[in-house]
Amino acid sequence: MAGEQEKGTVRAVERALDILLCFAGSETELGLSDIAKRIGLHKSTVHRLLASLESKGFIRRHPQTEKYRLGWSVLELVSNVYQSDDLSSIVSPEMTRLRDLLGETISLYVLSGIERIRIQAIESKQPVRRVANVGRRLPLYVGASGKVLLAYSSEELLEELMTDSSWPPELSRDEFRHALQQVRESGYAVSIEEREPGAAAVAAPIRGRNGEAVAALSISGPVDRFTPEAVERFAQEVRKSAEMLTKMLSH
Amino acid sequence: MAGEQEKGTVRAVERALDILLCFAGSETELGLSDIAKRIGLHKSTVHRLLASLESKGFIRRHPQTEKYRLGWSVLELVSNVYQSDDLSSIVSPEMTRLRDLLGETISLYVLSGIERIRIQAIESKQPVRRVANVGRRLPLYVGASGKVLLAYSSEELLEELMTDSSWPPELSRDEFRHALQQVRESGYAVSIEEREPGAAAVAAPIRGRNGEAVAALSISGPVDRFTPEAVERFAQEVRKSAEMLTKMLSH
DNA sequence: CGATGGGTTTCATTAGGTGAAACCACGTTT
DNA sequence: AAACGTGGTTTCACCTAATGAAACCCATCG
C-alpha cells in the first residue's frame, strides 16, 4: 500500500523511496511483480520507478536471477551518515569501553517517528552473544530502550503511539504508563525476554538540553547472563555512562 | 547540474536521488540553496524534493543548524546491502586472513559506471595505516585497482573512459593501454604514490565465469612499507587469494 | 496447446511537478 | 531607520511528465 502523500512533497519520489524501503528488512532480492504487489502500484509504474533507482545506482539487477537488489549508491552514503551524526561519534568510544567492562553487546537507539532505530552497536566478544544489526527498526512499546525513549519524551508521542493501530491490544495503557513512571524514578529500564525469548536488556537515557531523550544507551545479551546481580551492576554502569554522555552533549 | 534523463525513468525521482548523492562525499550538512545550486534546479523544486526525502526518513534537519543531513533510513538499508551481496560475504573472511598475514589494509573494489567503489575494507592494525572508507568512489584511470578492473573488462568500457571528459589530458592513452597489457601478463597491478602521495597499493582481479573482473582485491599502506621485496610478497599473496576466490565464485 | 507469471513497451489522459514570483525572517550594511 | 542580501516557505498558472491500462514478449508448466 503506497503511503499517504504529505503536503508539499512529490508523490513520485515518495513512491520510489517506498520501493527502496522494501529492501529495509530481510528481503535481499525482489522481482518487479513482488514490489508492485507490496506497494500497490501498477507494474508499469513500478518498472519506471525501478529504472530510475537503477539509473542512479540505488538498485541493481542480479546477473543470474535478474531480480532487483540494493545498489552501491547506498554504500556511498553510509559513511556519511555516521560522519554527520554528532551523537554516535561522541558516544562510540564510551560504548566500546562499556562493552569491554561488562562483556555484553552495547547498542544505541534513537527515535524515528513512533519507532526506534538502532544506530550504533558494539557487539560482545563472547561466543554466545547478542547480535545487533545497525539500522534495525523496532517498536517503542516493547523492550528496555523503547521504554526509556518514551519515558523521556513528550506526552504527544506517547498518545500518538497508544492510538496507533500497531499498539498491541493486550497491552494495558495504564500499566504501560505506570512502567514509564518507574523508569523515570529509577533512571533506567529492564527488559527480560520481553521483546524476544532468551534475550534481556538494560537501558538508560542520554538526554538533551531540554531534558528529553536524545538516545537510549542499552546493554543486551542472553537472558541467563542477566542475573539480578548482573542487572543491578549493568544498570549502575549504563546509567552512569548515560549521565556522563548527557553532560558531554550539553557543551 | 541535474543529469540527463534516461528513457523509461521518472525525472522527479532522478532529481531527488541526485539530491541524496550530494551527501555521498564529505559534505555532511547542506542548506536548501547549496543543494539547489549544486544540481541546478529552482529552489522551490528542491524544497519539495527535500520534503519528500524527509517524509521517508532519508533526509533530516539538524535541530540547531536547521540544515539538511542524511536520515536514518539510509542506515536501515545498509545491512541489507551486504546481505544481498554474495561477493562480499564470500570474500570477507579471506580479506581478514590477508590483513592478518600481511599486516596491511585490504580493500575490495567493484566497477560502477566508469568508476570504482570500495565496497569492503579490512583495515591494518598498525598505528600508521591506510584508512579505507567503504562506499568511496574513485577513478579507474589511476591506482592499482582501477587498472586491474580495466585490464579485465570490456574494450567498450576502456573506450568510454578514455573519451570521457574526466580523462586527464596529460595521461597518454597508448601508455595506459600498454600498462593494462602488463597487468594482464603479470596478473596484478602496482601503484606507488600514483593516486595519493605517501600511499601505495597492489591489486589483483577476482574474475567471473566469463573471465572478466568481478572485483579487484587490493592491499594498500604507507609507501615506505612497500619495498620491492614487500611488493613482491604482497603480489604473490593477493594474486593467490584472488585466484582462489575466482574459483570459489564459479561454483 | 493454453494458462500463468514475470517483465517490457506503447498510448491516451490528466493532474501532478515545475519555475517564477511573492513572501517571511534574520542579519548586515549604509 | 531603511535597504539589502541570504536562506527558506508558500502560492499559482501552466503544460508536460507521470500514470494506469492494455498489449506484447518470453519462459515455464500442466
Side-chain angles (χ1 to χ4, degrees), chain B:
Chain B
M1 215 42 57
E4 282 277 304
Q5 187 182 359
E6 301 198 36
K7 297 115 293 195
T9 60
V10 178
R11 188 181 61 168
V13 171
E14 288 184 307
R15 285 174 164 182
L17 298 174
D18 282 335
I19 292 178
L20 258 197
L21 289 169
C22 285
F23 296 92
S26 51
E27 299 284 1
T28 60
E29 188 169 90
L30 291 162
L32 170 67
S33 301
D34 294 332
I35 296 168
K37 248 184 258 138
R38 275 178 177 243
I39 70 173
L41 292 176
H42 196 90
K43 279 196 297 181
S44 59
T45 299
V46 173
H47 190 251
R48 268 192 303 268
L49 296 173
L50 281 167
S52 310
L53 290 163
E54 196 173 357
S55 79
K56 298 296 178 184
F58 285 88
I59 288 279
R60 67 191 159 110
R61 293 184 86 169
H62 192 270
Q64 274 85 51
T65 63
E66 300 226 324
K67 291 194 172 195
Y68 295 94
R69 297 179 170 204
L70 288 175
W72 305 119
S73 291
V74 176
L75 268 194
E76 290 193 70
L77 300 178
V78 68
S79 58
N80 212 336
V81 178
Y82 286 121
Q83 276 174 47
S84 69
D85 185 41
D86 306 324
L87 181 61
S88 43
S89 53
I90 290 171
V91 176
S92 212
E94 181 63 14
M95 286 172 75
T96 303
R97 190 191 68 84
L98 266 189
R99 189 275 310 272
D100 294 339
L101 175 69
L102 303 177
E104 299 293 355
T105 295
I106 310 294
S107 301
L108 188 68
Y109 294 89
V110 297
L111 280 171
S112 180
I114 59 172
E115 291 175 293
R116 60 179 156 128
I117 300 192
R118 187 187 285 120
I119 66 165
Q120 186 88 302
I122 311 281
E123 283 189 8
S124 166
K125 290 178 176 175
Q126 301 193 54
V128 174
R129 74 185 68 163
R130 182 67 174 153
V131 175
N133 300 315
V134 166
R136 181 80 190 281
R137 191 178 277 269
L138 297 159
L140 283 174
Y141 51 74
V142 77
S145 297
K147 289 206 192 64
V148 156
L149 289 169
L150 282 171
Y152 293 91
S153 288
S154 66
E155 177 66 22
E156 281 80 24
L157 175 66
L158 184 58
E159 282 302 316
E160 192 186 347
L161 177 65
M162 281 180 168
T163 53
D164 193 73
S165 60
S166 59
W167 184 268
E170 71 279 358
L171 186 53
S172 160
R173 287 167 171 81
D174 282 343
E175 282 179 24
F176 196 76
R177 281 182 183 278
H178 182 66
L180 294 192
Q181 187 51 33
Q182 286 185 308
V183 171
R184 288 188 198 104
E185 282 163 15
S186 62
Y188 66 93
V190 181
S191 159
I192 306 291
E193 298 194 278
E194 194 178 311
R195 221 204 84 222
E196 195 169 336
V202 177
I206 300 174
R207 291 180 285 151
R209 293 183 191 123
N210 59 5
E212 291 193 355
V214 163
L217 182 63
S218 158
I219 181 169
S220 58
V223 69
D224 51 295
R225 297 210 291 260
F226 277 59
T227 59
E229 297 77 40
V231 166
E232 185 62 38
R233 185 178 176 219
F234 292 161
Q236 278 194 33
E237 292 295 338
V238 170
R239 192 175 43 174
K240 204 166 37 172
S241 278
E243 280 169 14
M244 184 198 70
L245 291 164
T246 294
K247 287 197 180 68
M248 282 174 72
L249 286 169
S250 302
H251 309 321

Side-chain angles (χ1 to χ4, degrees), chain A residues 121 129 169 184 205:
Chain A
R129 76 186 66 163
R184 286 186 202 106

Side-chain angles (χ1 to χ4, degrees), chain A residues 117-137:
Chain A
I117 300 194
R118 188 188 286 119
I119 65 166
Q120 184 87 304
I122 311 279
E123 285 191 3
S124 167
K125 290 178 173 175
Q126 299 192 54
V128 174
R129 76 186 66 163
R130 182 66 176 155
V131 176
N133 302 317
V134 166
R136 181 81 187 281
R137 192 178 278 268

